[in-house]
Amino acid sequence: MDRRRRPGRRAADRMEWAADAADTVATLAELGVLFLRLLSLPFRAVAALLRMIAD
């Protein structure tokens, strides 16, 4: 069995790895934004209650 790689295969592997890494980073960023929005919900609710009380 010939285990030699084609000349452009290593570069293609690197590009595929970079694309996967970029996709992972984008997914983590989206999850981070979602997490921060969930964390801010109680504070928004308190702020809304305080506005209702103040009026």
Side-chain angles (χ1 to χ4, degrees), residues 2 6-7 9 13 15 21 26 29 32-34 36 38 47 53-54:
D2 188 13
R6 291 180 294 164
R9 187 65 194 151
D13 286 343
M15 289 297 291
V33 168
L34 182 62
L36 289 175
L38 287 173
I53 292 170

Side-chain angles (χ1 to χ4, degrees), residues 7-28:
R9 187 65 194 151
R10 183 178 282 172
D13 286 343
R14 274 192 234 125
M15 289 297 291
E16 187 176 335
W17 181 87
D20 288 343
D23 190 35
T24 301
V25 169
T27 301
L28 289 174

Side-chain angles (χ1 to χ4, degrees), residues 29-39:
E30 289 174 6
L31 288 174
V33 168
L34 182 62
F35 180 70
L36 289 175
R37 285 187 178 180
L38 287 173
L39 277 181

